[in-house]
């Protein structure tokens, strides 16, 4: 079995999350790789999420895009911070969505999102519902679960089979996966993709935006590293 | 809220996208005073499209910076007439625009004409395959204008946009056999040569040739060289930045109303552009046969009446039907009796995609791209192939159109890959540079029970009903799409990829508002020769209110295989010519009902 390496950045982040976490989230400390770390950089203080919500969100993002030999994980890329910041934008407040009622929650899935909640409210309700459902099913908080159990729980969320209160699991999963991917692959100027690590992994040159001399260089590797529009 | 009345003008134009800008230019050239009312904000290359701010996938494609704010006004959808319609709450399936330039600011630049047989679709199919070939509930009709009549306006539109392409036949003579052999005759070549070919387009060309098909360069309104159009507006060569569809072009390379028309309009005092003006309705006099102007709500919330001698509705596609319905112009369509016309013959497009995945190191480099750039085949579009044994109406071009794949939305992965986790991550790493895709972007026919009307429940921010779509996929169109997609898959197989992924509809599939298809809606205010089946006559003049004209893809009599902008533009010039040369001398119905 291949050893999954955890970079210094990610260690430092997770350490921060634990240090700042309230008692309920301290179960994270039980994950072996994170025990007994020395003090690092100042932890990120979420502006929208509570520390407990943020710890849970971070663990979910970490499960969706883990750090491994392929490249950076969601934590190193700053995905949880990105999502936290997005909640305080017009997008997070639902000002880019048509939000007039009545809302037909039973509409077939192909009609898309039909809940009366903007993203910020959707996250708040979903994280609470998910957290309670996991505690009931596993007797532990999600961040304290072993990797295999986390994957199992997120798979249930994706399939929509997890019963998590008012919010349908699949609706939350769709929202979460979309925002995780955004935070992972966006321009660093938008608050995610720290160090352009995900762009380096896939070979996207970012905001270079001029390939006039490269169009007809068939099959060649583009030689320049990515740049941010920053 | 104040009530204001403005000074009368000769022409009021509702909506300032491609066709609104064209009508404004044509009407001011005729010496008329023109006010254009745009509901969105002012936009231009600078500062809205300035580098590097504009090179941002999150802002522009995920947060829809240049698109319609659907929090203010959206649409509702249902599959069947008996269903309750559900609001389109998040932009996904199609991307409506607003703001100066409209969809013309953030389109891709695929600049096609139309196939001659599509302008006389019913007659053509009946002549070739017999009257029984067209299904009974398919409301195909002829448009009332011929390709020969429109040809000069297609030519003028290409020169206005600085379109890059390879002409096959000019004046009856084949001038370049790398052009599209199925293309109708042209009076002149494209104003610019075709753009350079990205790697995947070159691969597509080779594989399509090996399959016995006839590849050619997509006509692209992305300039391949420096260009000055007939209005004196300048364009610079496209640099294949990969940020085209959904973005304003920082480079002045993609044709837009803002780059190709507005600079010329600014030189005349006859023209005034008012932004953040949401037109509520076209006002009619007591006879209901003549418009007196338009009423709108301005950016401060005041209600304003703008008197005008002529009103031109140039809103996006379906929105002209909504404006006519809100204004009481023309009889609303009733699908039960089949009578009435406004809202009838609405069509979308049938989209199918084939992805081919190669091993790492292939370096297809899909981040290199330009909106209208690529290579296509037309062998299965229109009626270029024998439909007789196939049993469906319609067709589709197939193309490799590397418009620039970006990571949030752009990474296709081989079939069977999970959506997250380690396996997903290694698949996106291996696939991003090493995938190509072909699209079959075909026609959607028109049907008796597919139409738009006003929603009884949901309203916009101004208290007006949303437009309701009663829309479903039909077996005919799915059979067409599946047949054409099989041909696209053959081309992909010729390239020996490690995996192929085919996205195509199955019979019975519901329209899915969650996944992007295309934004190419057509119809709702169809043009035609018969006031019983069309809203507008062949000059795009309302049959009922002779000083009201409508332009844009809403006038199409049915969906077409190509992207609609080229046809919408040519039809606008055609209508403008009729107004200038005929209507102004003697304002009246230009065709007797």
């Amino acid at each position: 079995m291949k050893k999954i390496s955890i970079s210094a950045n990610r260690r430092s982040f997770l350490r921060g999350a634990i240090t700042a976490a309230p008692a309920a989230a301290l179960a994270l400390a039980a994950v072996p790789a994170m025990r007994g770390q020395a003090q690092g950089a100042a932890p990120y203080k979420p502006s929208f999420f509570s520390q407990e919500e943020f710890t849970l969100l971070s663990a979910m993002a970490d499960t969706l895009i883990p750090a491994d030999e392929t490249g950076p994980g969601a934590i190193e890329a700053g995905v949880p911070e990105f999502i936290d910041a997005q909640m305080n934008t017009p997008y997070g407040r639902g000002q880019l969505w048509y939000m007039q009622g009545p809302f037909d929650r039973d509409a077939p899935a192909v009609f898309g999102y039909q809940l009366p909640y903007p993203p910020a409210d959707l996250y708040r309700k979903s994280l609470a519902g998910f957290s309670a459902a996991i505690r009931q099913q596993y007797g532990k908080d999600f961040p304290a679960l072993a990797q295999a159990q986390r994957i199992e729980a997120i798979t249930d969320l994706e399939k929509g089979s997890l019963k998590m209160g008012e919010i349908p699991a699949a609706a939350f999963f769709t929202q979460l996966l979309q925002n995780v991917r955004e935070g992972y692959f966006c321009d660093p100027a938008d608050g995610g993709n720290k160090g352009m690590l995900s762009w380096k992994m896939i070979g996207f040159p970012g905001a270079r935006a001029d390939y006039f001399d490269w169009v007809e260089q068939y099959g060649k590797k583009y030689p320049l590293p990515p740049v941010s529009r920053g | 809220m104040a009530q204001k009345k403005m000074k009368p003008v000769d022409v009021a134009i509702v909506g300032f996208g491609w066709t609104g800008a064209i009508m404004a230019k044509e009407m001011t050239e005729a010496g008329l005073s023109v006010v254009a009312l745009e509901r969105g904000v002012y936009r231009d290359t600078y500062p809205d499209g300035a580098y590097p701010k504009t090179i941002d996938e999150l802002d522009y494609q995920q947060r829809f910076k240049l698109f319609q704010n659907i929090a203010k006004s959206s649409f509702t959808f249902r599959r069947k007439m008996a269903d309750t319609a559900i609001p389109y709450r998040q932009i996904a399936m199609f991307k409506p625009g607003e703001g100066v330039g409209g969809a013309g600011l953030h389109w891709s630049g695929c600049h096609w004409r139309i196939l001659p047989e599509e302008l006389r679709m019913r007659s053509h199919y009946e002549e070739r395959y017999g009257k029984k070939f067209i299904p009974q509930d398919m409301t195909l009709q002829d448009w009332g204008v011929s390709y020969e009549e429109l040809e000069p306006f297609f030519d003028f539109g290409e020169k206005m946009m600085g379109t890059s392409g390879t002409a096959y036949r000019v004046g009856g003579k084949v001038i370049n056999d790398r052009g599209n052999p199925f293309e109708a005759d042209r009076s002149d070549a494209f104003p610019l040569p075709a753009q350079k070919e990205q790697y995947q387009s070159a691969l597509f060309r080779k594989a399509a040739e090996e399959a016995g098909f006839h590849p050619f360069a997509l006509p692209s309104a992305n300039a391949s060289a420096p260009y000055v159009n007939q209005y004196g507006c300048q364009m610079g060569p496209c640099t294949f930045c990969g940020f085209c569809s959904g973005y304003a072009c920082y480079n002045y390379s993609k044709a837009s109303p803002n780059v190709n028309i507005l600079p010329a309009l600014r030189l005349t005092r006859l023209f005034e552009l008012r932004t953040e003006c949401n037109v509520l309705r076209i006002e009619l006099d007591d006879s209901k046969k003549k418009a007196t102007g338009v009423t709108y709500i301005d950016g401060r919330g005041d209600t304003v009446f703008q008197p005008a001698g002529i009103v031109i509705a140039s809103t996006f596609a379906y929105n002209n039907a909504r404006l006519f319905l809100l204004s009481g112009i023309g009889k609303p369509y009733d699908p039960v009796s089949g009578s009435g016309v406004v809202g009838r013959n609405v069509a979308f497009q049938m989209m199918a995609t084939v992805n081919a995945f190669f091993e790492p190191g292939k370096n297809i480099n899909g981040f290199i791209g330009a909106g209208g750039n690529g290579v296509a085949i037309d062998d299965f579009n229109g009626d270029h192939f024998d439909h007789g044994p196939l049993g469906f109406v319609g067709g589709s071009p197939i193309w490799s159109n590397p418009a620039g794949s970006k990571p949030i939305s752009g990474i296709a992965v081989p079939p069977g890959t999970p959506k997250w986790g380690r396996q997903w991550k290694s698949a996106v790493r291996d696939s991003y540079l090493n995938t190509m895709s072909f699209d079959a972007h075909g026609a959607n026919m028109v049907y008796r029970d597919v139409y738009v009307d006003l929603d009884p429940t949901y309203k916009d921010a101004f208290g007006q009903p949303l437009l309701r779509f009663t829309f479903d996929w039909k077996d005919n169109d799915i059979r067409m799409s599946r047949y054409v997609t099989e041909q696209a898959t053959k081309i992909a197989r010729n390239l020996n990829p490690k995996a192929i992924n085919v996205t195509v509809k199955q019979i019975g599939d519901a329209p899915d508002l969650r996944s992007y298809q295309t934004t190419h809606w057509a119809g709702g205010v169809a043009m035609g020769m018969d006031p019983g089946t069309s809203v507008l006559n062949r000059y795009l003049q309302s049959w009922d209110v002779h000083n009201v004209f409508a332009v844009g893809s809403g006038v199409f009599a049915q969906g077409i295989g190509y992207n609609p902008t080229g046809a919408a533009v040519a039809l606008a010039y055609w209508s403008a010519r009729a107004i200038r040369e005929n209507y102004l001398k003697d304002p009246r119905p230009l065709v007797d009902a």
Side-chain angles (χ1 to χ4, degrees), chain A residues 2 4 63-73 82 86 89 91 94-104 107-115 150-152 154-155 158 173 175 177-179 181-187 189-190 199 201-222 227-230, chain B residues 51-59 62-64 69-75 77-79 84-91 195-200 202 224 237-243 250 361-365 367-369 373 405-408 411 418-426 428-429 432-433 457-461 466 510-514:
Chain A
K2 269 186 182 167
I4 299 173
T63 309
L64 288 168
I65 310 184
D68 60 16
E69 68 282 359
T70 301
F82 166 84
Q86 284 292 308
T89 63
Y91 166 76
Q95 289 163 358
L96 305 187
W97 296 356
Y98 182 76
M99 293 301 283
Q100 278 193 35
F103 290 85
D104 181 357
V110 290
F111 286 93
Y113 188 70
Q114 295 295 334
L115 296 174
R150 285 190 187 188
I151 291 171
E152 182 184 82
I154 297 284
T155 303
E158 179 180 17
F173 177 81
Q175 180 72 31
L177 183 64
Q178 176 63 26
N179 293 146
R181 284 190 183 177
E182 287 169 357
Y184 191 65
F185 282 129
C186 67
D187 193 293
D190 293 317
W199 288 357
M201 174 183 87
I202 60 172
F204 176 57
R208 290 201 174 269
D210 180 354
Y211 306 108
F212 195 79
D213 298 330
W214 271 88
V215 181
E216 293 176 328
Q217 305 221 28
Y218 298 162
K220 283 197 188 159
K221 175 107 180 119
Y222 184 75
V227 292
S228 162
R229 62 100 168 160
Chain B
Y51 181 88
K53 190 188 62 167
T54 193
I55 306 301
D56 190 302
E57 186 185 12
L58 185 79
D59 283 355
Q62 308 299 314
R63 301 290 179 263
F64 310 118
N69 181 353
I70 65 164
K72 280 191 181 172
S73 183
S74 187
F75 314 88
F77 277 84
R78 58 181 185 171
R79 291 182 77 178
T84 300
I86 308 286
Y88 181 58
R89 296 192 181 277
Q90 301 171 330
I91 292 179
Q195 287 182 280
K196 295 178 182 190
E197 261 169 45
Q198 206 266 13
Y199 187 22
Q200 65 168 295
S224 60
C238 168
T239 56
F240 301 86
C241 78
F243 289 76
Y250 75 88
K362 182 83 170 174
N363 293 326
I364 284 169
N365 297 339
F367 56 84
I368 299 175
N373 183 241
S405 61
K406 290 165 286 290
I408 298 173
I411 308 185
K419 287 182 177 168
W420 51 277
R422 301 185 63 196
Q423 224 183 314
W424 169 80
K425 203 165 99 181
S426 82
V428 297
R429 180 198 57 188
Y432 180 64
L433 298 179
T457 306
Y458 295 96
K459 304 235 178 328
D460 68 11
L466 299 189
D512 191 337
L513 270 58
R514 299 168 299 180

Side-chain angles (χ1 to χ4, degrees), chain A:
Chain A
M1 193 177 166
K2 269 186 182 167
K3 187 170 176 291
I4 299 173
S5 65
I6 297 176
S7 78
N9 279 349
R10 179 162 177 266
R11 253 185 238 120
S12 152
F13 173 82
L14 287 170
R15 205 160 51 231
I18 296 158
T19 314
L26 280 177
L28 230 181
V31 179
M34 291 150 209
R35 195 185 293 140
Q37 303 289 345
Q39 289 298 310
Y44 174 80
K45 285 201 174 67
S47 61
F48 171 78
F49 293 111
S50 71
Q51 191 59 56
E52 188 177 353
E53 288 168 337
F54 191 71
T55 305
L56 170 57
L57 179 69
S58 301
M60 294 180 86
D62 185 42
T63 309
L64 288 168
I65 310 184
D68 60 16
E69 68 282 359
T70 301
I75 302 298
E76 277 165 283
V79 168
E81 295 99 313
F82 166 84
I83 297 176
D84 182 54
Q86 284 292 308
M87 294 303 108
N88 290 320
T89 63
Y91 166 76
R93 293 189 288 268
Q95 289 163 358
L96 305 187
W97 296 356
Y98 182 76
M99 293 301 283
Q100 278 193 35
F103 290 85
D104 181 357
R105 292 171 185 241
D106 299 323
V110 290
F111 286 93
Y113 188 70
Q114 295 295 334
L115 296 174
Y117 309 117
D121 294 358
L122 180 75
Y123 269 100
R124 191 136 272 162
K125 285 175 183 290
S126 299
L127 289 173
F130 179 77
S131 183
I134 295 301
R135 213 173 296 134
Q136 190 176 359
Q137 190 166 332
Y138 294 95
K140 281 183 188 173
D141 284 332
F142 181 81
L145 298 180
Q147 190 67 7
Q149 287 176 312
R150 285 190 187 188
I151 291 171
E152 182 184 82
I154 297 284
T155 303
D156 288 346
L157 185 72
E158 179 180 17
K159 285 186 193 151
S161 55
L162 192 78
K163 296 274 173 286
M164 45 173 276
E166 187 193 6
I167 306 296
F172 176 46
F173 177 81
T174 301
Q175 180 72 31
L176 176 68
L177 183 64
Q178 176 63 26
N179 293 146
V180 165
R181 284 190 183 177
E182 287 169 357
Y184 191 65
F185 282 129
C186 67
D187 193 293
D190 293 317
N193 188 19
K194 281 185 191 162
M196 296 180 277
L197 296 173
S198 71
W199 288 357
K200 286 173 189 158
M201 174 183 87
I202 60 172
F204 176 57
R208 290 201 174 269
D210 180 354
Y211 306 108
F212 195 79
D213 298 330
W214 271 88
V215 181
E216 293 176 328
Q217 305 221 28
Y218 298 162
K220 283 197 188 159
K221 175 107 180 119
Y222 184 75
L224 302 176
V227 292
S228 162
R229 62 100 168 160

Side-chain angles (χ1 to χ4, degrees), chain B residues 20 44 69 81 93 182 218 224 314 323 366 405 472 482 584:
Chain B
D44 212 340
N69 181 353
M81 283 158 50
M93 182 202 203
F182 298 100
L218 266 76
S224 60
S314 54
L323 185 60
S405 61
D472 207 355
R482 295 185 70 80
L584 291 179

